[in-house]
Amino acid sequence: MKSLSLSSQIKRTYFKVTGYSYTNLGRLFLRLFIGIMLMQFGIRQIVNIEELKYVFPSVIGMGAHASLIVMICIEIVCSTFIMFGFLTRLMVIPPLVSMILAEYYLLHDYVVEHAYQLDWQQLGYLPIMFMGVYFFLLLVGPGKISVDYFLSLYIIHTENKSEGELEEV
């Protein structure tokens, strides 16, 4: 009788560890993590704005100072929206584009023939990591622990529709 209880306890523990999917909690963690990671870049740039406005690259025809201001706004505003899960799919687009541009400006000095000399310690890998996370969030959405989901529920209930009509956010 004791071994049967131990066996059922092991099975129950196994299913809790491997069988359950915490996708919404995982999306919340990912949104908070990537939001904090990008926001800290924006805060650092605000602190060092006087030095950076002369060395920041001029992007899309804007001056260096204007490019820096736009980047800081993207990093602070979009990160905040992403962390709260508000307009998430829309808010990942500006940082995604900025990371594509950052990757270009980090690697534009490398000639195509020398690209094989890049290693994992160089800065070019950081924008690629951000791009991957933003693309993932663009595909899967914010999850159920988000302002987007709660607003969707509110809109559905005000229109007297059932929650079944709401697909996974």
Side-chain angles (χ1 to χ4, degrees), residues 25-55:
L25 195 59
R27 290 183 207 177
L28 172 65
F29 171 78
L30 188 63
R31 283 193 345 258
L32 291 175
F33 177 76
I34 204 71
I36 290 169
M37 291 300 293
L38 189 64
M39 188 176 283
Q40 59 97 12
F41 285 112
I43 292 169
R44 285 183 191 173
Q45 288 174 344
I46 290 172
V47 170
N48 299 317
I49 196 164
E50 287 303 316
E51 296 87 25
L52 289 173
K53 69 181 178 182
Y54 300 111
V55 296

Side-chain angles (χ1 to χ4, degrees), residues 45 56-57 97 103 109:
Q45 288 174 344
F56 201 80
V97 170
E103 182 68 20
D109 290 335

Side-chain angles (χ1 to χ4, degrees), residues 93-110:
I93 294 172
L96 180 63
V97 170
S98 69
M99 288 301 133
I100 291 169
L101 291 171
E103 182 68 20
Y104 170 76
Y105 282 104
L106 283 171
L107 298 179
H108 82 282
D109 290 335
Y110 288 95

Side-chain angles (χ1 to χ4, degrees), residues 137-154:
L137 286 173
L138 187 65
L139 288 177
V140 300
K144 290 184 177 181
I145 309 172
S146 67
V147 174
D148 286 342
Y149 181 74
F150 293 120
L151 282 175
S152 298
L153 285 178
Y154 175 76

Side-chain angles (χ1 to χ4, degrees), residues 10 35 47 51 66 69 90 101 109 114-115 125-126 129 148 151:
I10 290 172
V47 170
E51 296 87 25
I69 297 297
L90 183 64
L101 291 171
D109 290 335
H114 300 294
Y125 284 97
L126 191 59
M129 186 269 309
D148 286 342
L151 282 175

